[in-house]
Amino acid sequence: MAHIVFYEKPGCGGNARQRAALEAAGHTLERRNLLTAPWTREALLAFLAPLPVADWFNRSAPRVKSGEVLPEALDADAALALLIAEPLLIHRPLMQRHDDGSRLAGFDPAAVHAWVGLASPVPPASLDTCPSARHRCPAADTPTEGATHAPV
């Protein structure tokens, strides 16, 4: 079983379900607040570089949902600057294995299972987002929500 650094938005129901899936598989988590972590370009790129720029963004973030932020219209430099300024926009969780340093952004159950293993059966893909368009994670309008996922 792996020890995983788990960057999350405190109070997010989606992140709680993701943590539960990892812990049910026997993994231990070192939980960190994604919104207050001291992000730099290099630190974020270590998680996000394998993904297309648009997939760096939390599609449930209010500014993305409203159309104020258009991830597809941003290049990597503009996206990183925006994500560092507003960590609520970062696709989460961000996870790093303690043993080998590999990283993963977001929670696609198949990718997480291939990366560290999940209990069978693999949980539904809905673990990567809030369960419905009407559901909002607690404090969704304050500094969060966690696409294609690739371990680094």
Side-chain angles (χ1 to χ4, degrees), residues 13-65:
N15 285 156
R17 289 188 305 279
Q18 295 158 351
R19 287 192 323 268
L22 288 165
E23 290 169 341
H27 304 296
T28 58
L29 304 179
E30 180 180 326
R31 295 169 57 186
R32 294 191 186 170
N33 187 333
L34 178 83
L35 307 177
T36 60
W39 295 113
T40 63
R41 290 176 49 84
E42 295 76 19
L44 270 179
L45 277 175
F47 290 96
L48 303 175
L51 305 174
V53 172
D55 290 347
W56 297 359
F57 287 82
N58 167 16
R59 296 299 174 154
S60 296
R63 291 186 65 208
V64 174
K65 286 174 74 171

Side-chain angles (χ1 to χ4, degrees), residues 47 50-51 103-105 111 148-152:
F47 290 96
L51 305 174
R103 294 170 176 89
L104 195 67
T148 308
H149 308 273
V152 178

Side-chain angles (χ1 to χ4, degrees), residues 13-14 17 65 130-138:
R17 289 188 305 279
K65 286 174 74 171
C130 285
S132 75
R134 291 185 299 170
H135 179 279
R136 294 178 68 179
C137 290

Side-chain angles (χ1 to χ4, degrees), residues 6 33 54 62 69-70 75 91 97 104 112 115 122 128 131 134 139-141 147-148 152:
F6 188 89
N33 187 333
V69 172
L70 300 171
D75 65 19
H91 186 99
R97 286 181 67 145
L104 195 67
V112 174
W115 183 55
V122 174
D128 196 36
R134 291 185 299 170
D141 292 324
T148 308
V152 178

